Amino acid sequence: MSSDGTPDPFANPLAFGQRLQILRQKRGLSRPVLAGLLGKSPDWLKQIENGRMSMPKLPVILRIAELLRVRDLADLTGDQSLSVDLFVGPGHSRLPAVRAAINAFPLAVDRQAPTAAHLQARLARAWAARHQAPNHREVVGELLPDLIRDGQLAVRQAETAADRRAAQACLSEIYSLSQFFVAYQPDSALLWRVAERGMVAAQESEDPHAIGVAAWLTAQAHRDGGPAGFDAADAVTTEAIRYLEPYLPEADDRVLAIAGALQFEAGYTAARRGENGTAWNWWDTAAKTAKKLDAGYYHPITSFSRAIMGAHAVTIAVELRAGGESVRQANKADAVAIPSRPRLARHRIEEARGYQLDGQAETALATLERAHEAAPETIRYNGYARLIVIEETESKNPARRRRAAVLASELGLLAA
């Protein structure tokens, strides 16, 4: 029993149905809503929860786990032999050093802080390295500790209000880079600490671009928590869009791009809610913003650009559970135009989800293999990719099952 009086779904000997009901209620999903998302009837779900029907097969369990954002299959099934982290990847070897730098607040000033211009140059190199590296967390994780310490020092040593605002803008962007590293690792408290500090530093900077980026990442953190966070994600996104609107008529590509990225985020959350019209309307708005950017411009943080809108269309269709539309959008999207290896891998994962929805399991698995070629760390930390691979290891097709097993081994899934 948890401290708030709610039964703990992870305490034995709760049955599968009881665990499912508790987790569903904690996510704020009604029985008809969850049943509809599963393509089942509310009565079917009621019988599962009441124990009048046995536990469904693995593909259905995996879909339930996806919808409820269950971190570990054992939390849902109670079977520790199925212990697999779904939406949290393994802790990276550089996580302790990054965590230590984030948590530390040294007060002694024993050296001169770098200038804001120097920090910006290092940040530009760090973003470029992230986009070019297949193992981008390794690259970023090596750079972050010194960047975090120097960014904090620059804020403390700023002598004028203008210098302090510039330093805060740099520090906010450093926290943005940190959030990319920390995301989907086993330390949610650290993720929120980074997101909140990034937003505070951005507000102190009074820089529209920094504020937009911090809002974009904060909205993602809320949304990735599941349906209970959708309202908070919408509130952050819409407020940030409203804040940026006065700047847009004379904005440079950076500010235009973060506005477009926020517009797409609003559509993304709407798609997660199942709001078809709203989701595509926001995608249209973001596409119009993208057309205002220089043809070759690519935002280094959000990847927002003209080229990314095709990938964003795939994501909207996938989140709306529209398999045929997902495949149609995947065929239209120009993946070659995505210069970032981790973002390309993410797009391949979204394509794979679309193919799986459309019943093209073989193509989905082949697409995940292409994602792995582009950026192994992206697929290793992506819960949706992990779900597809795990499901295909149970395929009735021996060749596909063996193929999935090879990829599962490369991703470190189901390891003892």
Side-chain angles (χ1 to χ4, degrees):
M1 182 79 68
S2 61
S3 60
D4 64 0
T6 302
D8 184 350
F10 315 136
N12 288 326
L14 289 183
F16 173 80
Q18 293 172 298
R19 291 167 178 268
L20 170 56
Q21 182 176 4
I22 292 167
L23 290 166
R24 172 178 62 77
Q25 291 171 341
K26 282 191 171 184
R27 285 297 180 197
L29 291 177
S30 68
R31 190 175 283 151
V33 168
L34 179 58
L37 291 170
L38 290 168
K40 304 287 187 179
S41 70
D43 184 63
W44 176 88
L45 183 56
K46 182 178 180 180
Q47 291 189 62
I48 291 289
E49 291 184 344
N50 291 343
R52 292 198 294 271
M53 289 181 63
S54 60
M55 185 188 305
K57 293 184 178 180
L58 183 61
V60 179
I61 294 174
L62 290 172
R63 178 64 182 139
I64 293 170
E66 176 188 353
L67 291 168
L68 297 181
R69 302 295 291 175
V70 174
R71 301 291 188 182
D72 191 310
L73 276 183
D75 295 340
L76 177 60
T77 66
D79 183 356
Q80 294 303 314
S81 67
L82 289 177
S83 183
V84 180
D85 281 337
L86 295 174
F87 292 94
V88 174
H92 196 278
S93 61
R94 294 192 181 275
L95 179 60
V98 173
R99 182 193 292 118
I102 291 168
N103 289 341
F105 277 100
L107 298 178
V109 179
D110 56 358
R111 59 189 175 88
Q112 183 65 38
T115 64
H118 178 77
L119 285 173
Q120 282 291 358
R122 287 165 62 186
L123 274 166
R125 290 195 295 271
W127 287 116
R130 176 185 180 272
H131 290 303
Q132 294 164 7
N135 295 311
H136 47 92
R137 274 188 169 83
E138 175 65 25
V139 171
V140 171
E142 182 179 5
L143 298 173
L144 274 173
D146 285 342
L147 271 171
I148 293 166
R149 286 188 284 266
D150 286 350
Q152 292 173 344
L153 188 63
V155 170
R156 290 202 303 275
Q157 290 187 6
E159 295 181 352
T160 68
D163 288 344
R164 186 175 182 82
R165 286 194 297 271
Q168 290 281 22
C170 287
L171 182 59
S172 177
E173 189 171 331
I174 291 168
Y175 283 133
S176 296
L177 183 63
S178 302
Q179 191 166 336
F180 275 88
F181 175 82
V182 173
Y184 308 115
Q185 295 202 57
D187 196 336
S188 59
L190 184 66
L191 174 70
W192 276 107
R193 195 147 60 247
V194 168
E196 289 167 359
R197 289 183 186 172
M199 179 61 82
V200 170
Q203 291 174 330
E204 291 290 329
S205 76
E206 301 179 10
D207 182 296
H209 177 259
I211 291 171
V213 169
W216 180 75
L217 285 165
T218 300
Q220 289 189 0
H222 281 300
R223 188 191 62 237
D224 287 348
F230 289 174
D231 287 347
D234 279 337
V236 172
T237 303
T238 54
E239 183 63 24
I241 291 171
R242 188 180 303 115
Y243 164 78
L244 289 173
E245 281 176 353
Y247 296 94
L248 298 184
E250 299 180 2
D252 59 16
D253 279 346
R254 289 197 329 149
V255 175
L256 275 175
I258 192 56
L262 285 160
Q263 290 160 355
F264 170 70
E265 285 303 312
Y268 193 162
T269 305
R272 290 284 297 273
R273 292 180 187 275
E275 298 171 351
N276 190 304
T278 302
W280 286 114
N281 283 339
W282 275 117
W283 183 91
D284 287 337
T285 300
K288 291 175 183 176
T289 300
K291 289 179 180 177
K292 297 177 183 178
L293 299 171
D294 288 343
Y297 181 79
Y298 195 86
H299 192 261
I301 302 174
T302 67
S303 295
F304 192 80
S305 58
R306 294 187 188 184
I308 209 66
M309 292 312 301
H312 282 341
V314 175
T315 296
I316 293 291
V318 167
E319 292 296 342
L320 290 169
R321 312 300 297 171
E325 180 64 15
S326 301
V327 171
R328 191 178 75 83
Q329 294 294 345
N331 290 334
K332 286 174 57 180
D334 182 9
V336 177
I338 301 176
S340 166
R341 293 185 69 146
R343 188 60 185 84
L344 175 59
R346 165 72 187 282
H347 173 54
R348 294 298 187 203
I349 293 167
E350 296 294 276
E351 287 183 320
R353 293 177 67 195
Y355 287 123
Q356 187 194 43
L357 283 171
D358 200 46
Q360 301 183 45
E362 187 71 33
T363 307
L365 198 55
T367 306
L368 287 182
E369 290 170 342
R370 296 171 71 191
H372 189 260
E373 291 172 5
E377 284 190 344
T378 295
I379 184 172
R380 191 177 184 206
Y381 285 82
N382 186 284
Y384 295 112
R386 294 157 73 89
L387 280 170
I388 294 172
V389 173
I390 293 169
E391 181 172 339
E392 289 307 312
T393 62
E394 297 284 321
S395 171
K396 294 179 180 179
N397 182 307
R400 195 161 74 237
R401 190 167 61 244
R402 287 192 296 270
R403 193 173 181 179
V406 171
L407 188 54
S409 177
E410 290 175 340
L411 298 180
L413 297 177
L414 302 174

